[in-house]
Amino acid sequence: MIENTATRHHQNFLQVIHSYYQLTKPRIIPLLLMTTASSMWIASEGNVNPVLLLVTVCGGTFAAASAQTINCIYDRDIDDQMERTRHRPLVSGRVQPSHALIFAIALACLSFTLLAVFVNLLSALLTMSGIVFYVGVYTHLLKRHNPANIVIGGAAGGIPALVGWAAVTDTLSWAAWLLFAIVFLWTPPHFWALALMIRDDYAKVGVPMLPVVAGNVAATRQIWVYSLVLIPTTFLLSYPLHVTGAVYTCIALILGTFFIKKAWVLLHNPDDKQLARSLFLYSIFYMMLLCAAMVVDSLSFTHQLIKAILDLIL
């Protein structure tokens, strides 16, 4: 039964806007945009066009909002049964599924038009592929049927990095694909940590997240393995690709050390939900700071400062 007995109605237009805003899962979008922006900064060697950045970020925002809205439509039956999602607009009846679908289509059309007209066709097509992959592959084919849902679904999260690179260069280089790979490898530890926290909810609705089908021990082992692969991968931007420098490398080393430490502690305490929560929250912090490090490292001011420091030392 999809409809919730606690159906609520809007009292004013601001509540309508808020409900549609909630449909887009706004807390997820900023992290996707940070990978887009950092990719643009690296691709432009620290001299990104502010108008191009704004348009690309807006296009990415509309696309992500569209994908998340469709996800809410598709998953409204299980959202009704999960504690953390049962108050979403579609479940509570504040928004009708048909209206949400029109909203999602409008957002996708706006995103494609904005990017195709003011950026380039490659970035627009990549953005649309992200929506198709997230909705068609992850939400429809994998989420409810395969414990590898998050592993393969992580590709959707990596596409914004490709969009950012394509927006600046109209091509996709090895560096762009490496940025994609970093997000792809980061997604399983990030999401499995969340799955460890709300394992019972996923089990109740029959979603085969790894902790549900294989147990916490197996899940924490996979988190550990992916963490061990992720952290060295982040350094490939500095060598052999040479698209980042010393500032990024140092920050990536510090952030990666803490990531590995948290994954190691969780590995030895697989049933501790507080440790899982700690890793989950840190993984968000990790990706945000890693992207910020890419931006700072690409700036000409940073290069000049490092040169001045080296001149003083040497």
Side-chain angles (χ1 to χ4, degrees):
M1 189 72 177
I2 294 174
E3 293 184 0
N4 194 308
T5 55
T7 300
R8 291 160 50 190
H9 299 282
H10 298 112
Q11 301 299 317
N12 53 58
F13 186 63
L14 285 178
Q15 289 184 1
V16 175
I17 293 176
H18 182 66
S19 289
Y20 278 89
Y21 174 73
Q22 285 183 311
L23 276 179
T24 67
K25 301 181 184 178
R27 289 183 296 178
I28 297 175
I29 295 176
L31 202 56
L32 299 174
L33 298 182
M34 287 195 70
T35 62
T36 302
S38 59
S39 180
M40 292 181 72
W41 248 288
I42 294 177
S44 64
E45 298 181 350
N47 295 305
V48 65
N49 183 312
V51 176
L52 180 65
L53 176 65
L54 178 62
V55 173
T56 305
V57 166
C58 286
T61 300
F62 296 143
S66 173
Q68 299 296 349
T69 299
I70 297 173
N71 178 266
C72 283
I73 297 170
Y74 193 92
D75 281 348
R76 65 190 188 278
D77 59 332
I78 61 175
D79 283 348
D80 186 34
Q81 301 176 55
M82 295 178 68
E83 184 62 36
R84 74 185 184 95
T85 57
R86 62 176 45 176
H87 301 296
R88 285 177 176 171
L90 285 168
V91 178
S92 65
R94 299 196 308 275
V95 177
Q96 296 302 309
S98 59
H99 297 166
L101 181 59
I102 293 171
F103 177 60
I105 293 172
L107 287 170
C109 291
L110 182 58
S111 172
F112 181 82
T113 302
L114 194 63
L115 293 170
V117 173
F118 297 104
V119 184
N120 55 53
L121 184 59
L122 178 59
S123 64
L125 291 174
L126 284 168
T127 301
M128 292 304 102
S129 74
I131 297 177
V132 171
F133 195 94
Y134 183 77
V135 173
V137 177
Y138 170 68
T139 302
H140 177 64
L141 294 178
L142 296 175
K143 183 175 180 179
R144 305 193 194 195
H145 307 290
N146 195 312
N149 45 20
I150 289 304
V151 177
I152 302 172
I159 288 177
L162 298 180
V163 172
W165 197 278
V168 172
T169 67
D170 202 14
T171 60
L172 292 176
S173 68
W174 283 111
W177 286 109
L178 181 56
L179 289 167
F180 171 90
I182 289 171
V183 179
F184 179 82
L185 292 169
W186 166 86
T187 302
H190 164 71
F191 211 96
W192 282 333
L194 173 64
L196 286 167
M197 294 162 50
I198 57 173
R199 175 186 171 183
D200 293 342
D201 260 1
Y202 280 128
K204 181 170 64 175
V205 297
V207 175
M209 291 297 175
L210 188 62
V212 175
V213 299
N216 291 359
V217 173
T220 54
R221 284 175 182 167
Q222 288 299 308
I223 288 174
W224 173 245
V225 170
Y226 271 89
S227 300
L228 288 179
V229 177
L230 167 65
I231 303 308
T233 302
T234 62
F235 299 122
L236 298 179
L237 287 171
S238 298
Y239 184 84
L241 295 185
H242 301 293
V243 293
T244 55
V247 172
Y248 165 81
T249 303
C250 291
I251 295 175
L253 179 61
I254 295 170
L255 293 173
T257 300
F258 282 103
F259 200 114
I260 290 291
K261 181 180 178 181
K262 286 183 175 293
W264 176 257
V265 173
L266 182 60
L267 176 67
H268 290 83
N269 300 274
D271 297 320
D272 193 321
K273 291 186 177 181
Q274 287 303 314
L275 291 177
R277 175 181 171 82
S278 177
L279 177 59
F280 172 71
L281 294 176
Y282 179 75
S283 67
I284 298 173
F285 180 75
Y286 170 85
M287 183 55 70
M288 291 176 65
L289 285 189
L290 195 69
C291 289
M294 295 177 194
V295 173
V296 171
D297 187 271
S298 70
L299 299 175
S300 58
F301 171 79
T302 304
H303 298 163
Q304 293 169 5
L305 181 62
I306 292 176
K307 184 177 183 300
I309 292 174
L310 289 176
D311 288 342
L312 285 174
I313 296 174
L314 302 177

